[in-house]
Amino acid sequence: PEVITEGIGCDVCHTMTDLSPTVHTQDAVAATAEYHLNPGNIKYGNIQNPVSNSFHESEYNPIFSNSEICLPCHNITIRGVEAEITFSEWDRISSTAMGLFSCQECHMPVVTRPAAVGYPDREVHSHTFVGVDLDLSISAEENPQFDIVTDLLRNALTIDFGTPYDSLVSNVIAGDSLIIPVTVTSLTAHSIPSGVPFAREAWLEVLVTDNDNNTLYQSGVVSDTTSLDISSDSDLLLFTAYLIESNGDTTGSVTDVSSIINNSLMAFSDRYKIYKVEIPTDITGEIKIQAKMRFRSFKPDILRGSHQNLLENLPIFDMAEDSAVVNISQ
């Protein structure tokens, strides 16, 4: 139906008059939700003393400056399983819970422009609602949000060689093992990935090459449409979640979930990873290490089959990268 394809329109948010709790569902998968709406000609927002206009009445409501206004659409439990809990991830971090960051600051950044055509300039929030999803019916480069999604992801975390316990050496003897310590640091006030973490994945790609660009070691190196497989890449550092049915099998259906294994990177946390590379005895010169944190909003297997036509437009984003050179001694 056309009303469904429109998605979330202006009135969903701007008729809200009060905050709502988390949405819960049980075995019937019927949502227990509570929304306080006043549909009609009054539109609510966070502009104090709004200028009147001929289209609708406008009223100030302070809830529009609170992260809690995002809660009822971004927090859901199913049979008590925390399936989609972006708000709770944010709220459980003490610094954000005290108001240092709000959802709106990152996903609706402030810009200066008229709130409506022909009216005075104000500080208003951008309504791009930047997240990580793109319209996959068109190529990423054609998508008007591609650049802002890229910027959002590139400011979400950092990666560095070294941990509090290990440093990357500058020299290694041929025939020895090279230890590559990596720290991934979240700069984000909710988990990575979040929202529907069971559909998304972020992973560390590590590539070690010699002077002739021969590959000495790799982990997390996949093509755009290849699924990640930890069984064939035991060193893979992968941030994602898995939905588990009552019989213990994984499932792609959130309505069938009985439990969840969530391996996301928690807000403002560090994750340490050690890679061990055996250096050939006949190698000379230096080796290059490249590390990238990569992200895609859908696991390719989710799109295969009935959504195969969308798979070719699924981009892989580079969230952060680092490189280093290690000298080889004989």
Side-chain angles (χ1 to χ4, degrees):
E2 185 177 351
V3 68
I4 297 297
T5 61
E6 287 180 1
I8 304 300
C10 307
D11 281 345
V12 175
C13 294
H14 288 286
T15 61
M16 285 188 182
T17 58
D18 205 353
L19 302 175
S20 300
T22 297
V23 174
H24 301 280
T25 77
Q26 299 302 325
D27 285 338
V29 201
T32 301
E34 185 178 292
Y35 288 86
H36 302 275
L37 307 174
N38 180 29
N41 197 44
I42 302 175
K43 309 304 173 190
Y44 303 90
N46 71 335
I47 294 179
Q48 298 187 42
N49 304 313
V51 178
S52 61
N53 65 79
S54 58
F55 298 98
H56 58 75
E57 297 180 51
S58 303
E59 285 191 18
Y60 167 70
N61 192 324
I63 67 172
F64 286 82
S65 297
N66 298 338
S67 289
E68 284 85 345
I69 197 171
C70 306
L71 185 157
C73 294
H74 295 276
N75 239 48
I76 180 171
T77 71
I78 299 178
R79 303 180 189 90
V81 177
E82 295 184 332
E84 305 173 26
I85 55 161
T86 300
F87 177 83
S88 290
E89 292 166 359
W90 173 89
D91 193 48
R92 289 168 183 170
I93 306 302
S94 60
S95 61
T96 54
M98 291 186 292
L100 296 184
F101 293 94
S102 68
C103 303
Q104 294 90 327
E105 285 180 74
C106 292
H107 298 284
M108 298 183 68
V110 170
V111 296
T112 300
R113 61 168 175 78
V117 174
Y119 290 86
D121 283 350
R122 294 179 179 270
E123 284 193 347
V124 297
H125 284 277
S126 166
H127 281 59
T128 55
F129 298 104
V130 57
V132 298
D133 288 303
L134 294 174
D135 177 2
L136 298 183
S137 67
I138 58 177
S139 68
E141 292 73 15
E142 292 179 89
N143 199 291
Q145 286 204 319
F146 179 74
D147 289 339
I148 59 175
V149 172
T150 300
D151 289 343
L152 182 77
L153 287 167
R154 290 196 68 86
N155 286 284
L157 54 75
T158 61
I159 57 174
D160 299 283
F161 292 116
T163 71
Y165 319 103
D166 299 281
S167 299
L168 180 64
V169 298
S170 57
N171 293 275
V172 65
I173 298 174
D176 283 356
S177 298
L178 172 64
I179 301 301
I180 304 174
V182 180
T183 296
V184 180
T185 301
S186 169
L187 306 178
T188 303
H190 55 66
S191 297
I192 300 173
S194 188
V196 286
F198 44 85
R200 315 192 193 285
E201 52 193 4
W203 72 97
L204 191 59
E205 176 189 287
V206 175
L207 181 64
V208 181
T209 56
D210 63 15
N211 279 334
D212 298 320
N213 285 325
N214 296 311
T215 299
L216 303 179
Y217 174 87
Q218 67 179 34
S219 176
V221 177
V222 293
S223 69
D224 288 355
T225 59
T226 302
S227 296
L228 293 160
D229 185 1
I230 199 165
S231 65
S232 60
D233 187 353
S234 59
D235 288 341
L236 180 65
L237 178 58
L238 173 63
F239 300 121
T240 189
Y242 303 94
L243 302 175
I244 309 299
E245 291 182 307
S246 58
N247 63 5
D249 292 337
T250 58
T251 177
S253 171
V254 71
T255 58
D256 296 328
V257 67
S258 176
S259 62
I260 189 169
I261 300 172
N262 198 327
N263 294 330
S264 296
L265 177 65
M266 293 180 63
F268 299 132
S269 69
D270 294 320
R271 184 72 62 89
Y272 308 126
K273 180 69 175 178
I274 300 293
Y275 298 87
K276 184 178 179 180
V277 181
E278 303 297 333
I279 305 302
T281 57
D282 59 348
I283 194 170
T284 59
E286 61 186 25
I287 59 175
K288 184 176 182 180
I289 308 167
Q290 294 175 297
K292 292 181 181 180
M293 199 68 208
R294 314 202 77 190
F295 176 89
R296 53 189 171 195
S297 57
F298 280 98
K299 298 173 182 177
D301 285 347
I302 293 177
L303 299 181
R304 294 192 210 283
S306 59
H307 300 294
Q308 184 73 30
N309 61 313
L310 304 180
L311 187 56
E312 64 183 20
N313 292 326
L314 177 66
I316 294 180
F317 293 92
D318 291 333
M319 301 177 71
E321 55 192 271
D322 200 1
S323 62
V325 172
V326 175
N327 295 309
I328 306 298
S329 304
Q330 288 291 332

